[in-house]
């Protein structure tokens, strides 16, 4: 039981770390304008609306990589198939909060749910526990 809990928690943390690292890469490629307060939701929403499609695709890539890395870590450590789905459920919960805070184009909103799902499915194949 402890293995399942710890493995799942580590998977969740790996999801967050992997997603953050890919998004940091996106910020390096497409830096926000100087002086922007990233804690100001209105400012972030304004910037998000103006970024190029390629920058938005990096965000979806972050969700894909995060889903795959987090689920893989959870599956390998917990040796329990539902751990991957728990990682995905929390990723989706975070997406809902993000979509409520920052307006997204419809295609990106849909993609933010599909990308981590694909990542989890890939992780299950790689971990061979699904």
């Amino acid at each position: 039981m402890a293995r399942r809990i710890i493995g799942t928690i580590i998977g969740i943390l790996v999801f967050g770390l992997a997603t953050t690292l890919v998004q940091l890469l996106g910020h390096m490629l497409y830096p926000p304008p100087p002086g922007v307060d990233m804690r100001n939701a209105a400012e972030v929403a304004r910037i998000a609306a103006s970024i190029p499609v390629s920058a938005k695709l990096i965000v979806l890539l972050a969700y894909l990589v995060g889903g795959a890395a987090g689920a893989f870590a959870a599956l390998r450590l917990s040796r329990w198939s539902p751990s991957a789905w728990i990682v995905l459920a929390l990723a989706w919960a975070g997406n809902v909060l993000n979509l409520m805070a920052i307006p997204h184009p419809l295609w990106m909103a849909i993609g933010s749910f599909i990308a981590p799902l694909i990542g989890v499915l890939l992780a299950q194949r790689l971990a061979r526990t699904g």
Side-chain angles (χ1 to χ4, degrees), residues 11-12 15 19 60-76 80-92 95 112-130:
I12 293 163
F15 170 84
T19 302
L60 296 183
L61 176 65
Y63 295 152
L64 174 75
V65 171
F72 185 80
L75 289 167
R76 292 303 298 253
W80 184 54
S81 195
S83 65
W85 300 108
I86 293 169
V87 171
L88 180 64
L90 290 173
W92 281 352
N95 281 346
S112 72
F113 289 93
I114 293 172
L117 172 62
I118 293 170
V120 168
L121 295 172
L122 289 171
Q124 285 183 321
R125 286 199 141 208
L126 290 172
R128 302 211 190 282
T129 62

Side-chain angles (χ1 to χ4, degrees), residues 14-24 27 55-71 87-88 90-100 102 104 107-123:
V14 169
F15 170 84
L17 178 63
T19 302
T20 299
L21 290 175
V22 174
Q23 288 196 16
L24 284 174
H27 285 254
K56 292 173 181 169
L57 290 173
I58 291 173
V59 173
L60 296 183
L61 176 65
Y63 295 152
L64 174 75
V65 171
V87 171
L88 180 64
L90 290 173
W92 281 352
N95 281 346
V96 169
L97 295 174
N98 187 32
L99 291 169
M100 289 171 42
I102 302 169
H104 289 68
W107 67 267
M108 192 173 174
I110 293 168
S112 72
F113 289 93
I114 293 172
L117 172 62
I118 293 170
V120 168
L121 295 172
L122 289 171

